[in-house]
Amino acid sequence: MKYWLMKNEPEDYGIDDLKKDKTEHWDGIRNYQVRNMIRDDMSIGDMAFFYHSNCEIPGIYGLMTINSKAYPDHTAFDKKAKYYDIKSDKNKPAWLMVDVKYKRKLQKIITLKELKSKKELSEMRVVQKGNRLSITEVSKKDWEYILSLEKK
DNA sequence: GCCAACGTTGGC
DNA sequence: GCCAACGTTGGC
């Protein structure tokens, strides 16, 4: 069982949208490192933080579970879709996605600022400069520490 | 809206 | 296969 942090822009799709939808496919991954990670390392039942990026208050807003294995991202075949990719062929899909299931919103937002202020989390990928991966793995230790911050 | 950091592309 | 140019991400 692994833990993840998954970024999305709330203007595009945020935690409240997932709360409403209950489950949704996490499409639009167009980075090979991230694709390989969801293909090789992610499993059904893994837990993930829903992180809001590129917004007024970047940070962790909620929890979700991974609800499927990686499967072809059909938005890559759709010429009208934002993330259409001419290189992805239906017979040989270049891009994958997983389904995520809403668990709950955090009682309070754990902001990026707060994450950065904790020396315990200095190893975490999201707090490191120049990290641009939309999905990163979170260690069990960091996962539990972050959840403990919710109670403070 | 700026810009640093990083990934991708493509000429050679 | 190198690397400059370009595009994207995302915090600020």
Side-chain angles (χ1 to χ4, degrees), chain A residues 121-133:
Chain A
L121 299 175
S122 58
E123 300 290 308
M124 240 185 115
R125 297 293 302 273
V126 268
V127 305
Q128 287 165 12
K129 199 160 131 185
N131 164 58
R132 300 175 55 208
L133 298 182

Side-chain angles (χ1 to χ4, degrees), chain A residues 47-106:
Chain A
M47 302 278 300
F49 288 129
F50 195 134
Y51 178 96
H52 285 189
S53 67
N54 213 355
C55 58
E56 196 174 348
I57 306 173
I60 296 167
Y61 282 67
L63 305 180
M64 54 195 177
T65 51
I66 305 305
N67 217 26
S68 78
K69 289 198 210 177
Y71 63 100
D73 181 344
H74 59 78
T75 67
F77 310 135
D78 181 358
K79 276 188 181 148
K80 292 188 287 295
K82 184 179 172 190
Y83 291 109
Y84 171 68
D85 186 347
I86 197 164
K87 296 191 299 300
S88 190
D89 185 271
K90 272 187 186 171
N91 300 315
K92 201 166 173 279
W95 300 113
L96 304 172
M97 61 185 175
V98 294
D99 291 343
V100 294
K101 185 177 177 192
Y102 175 79
K103 189 169 174 68
R104 66 178 177 88
K105 286 172 82 166
L106 294 189

Side-chain angles (χ1 to χ4, degrees), chain A residues 8-72:
Chain A
N8 209 46
E9 303 190 7
E11 276 198 29
D12 180 36
Y13 193 86
I15 186 72
D16 288 322
D17 299 304
L18 184 62
K19 184 180 182 182
K20 186 154 46 75
D21 295 340
K22 308 293 178 210
T23 66
E24 182 59 289
H25 43 258
W26 198 272
D27 61 67
I29 294 168
R30 297 293 180 268
N31 172 288
Y32 290 107
Q33 260 179 282
V34 175
R35 182 204 65 185
N36 294 348
M37 210 158 42
I38 68 165
R39 184 189 60 199
D40 302 334
D41 299 331
M42 216 176 233
S43 322
I44 295 172
D46 284 358
M47 302 278 300
F49 288 129
F50 195 134
Y51 178 96
H52 285 189
S53 67
N54 213 355
C55 58
E56 196 174 348
I57 306 173
I60 296 167
Y61 282 67
L63 305 180
M64 54 195 177
T65 51
I66 305 305
N67 217 26
S68 78
K69 289 198 210 177
Y71 63 100

Side-chain angles (χ1 to χ4, degrees), chain A residues 108-122:
Chain A
K108 73 179 183 84
I109 302 159
I110 311 294
T111 64
L112 177 62
K113 195 176 163 192
E114 186 170 0
L115 295 175
K116 281 184 169 170
S117 74
K118 306 293 182 192
K119 65 174 189 318
E120 291 88 344
L121 299 175
S122 58

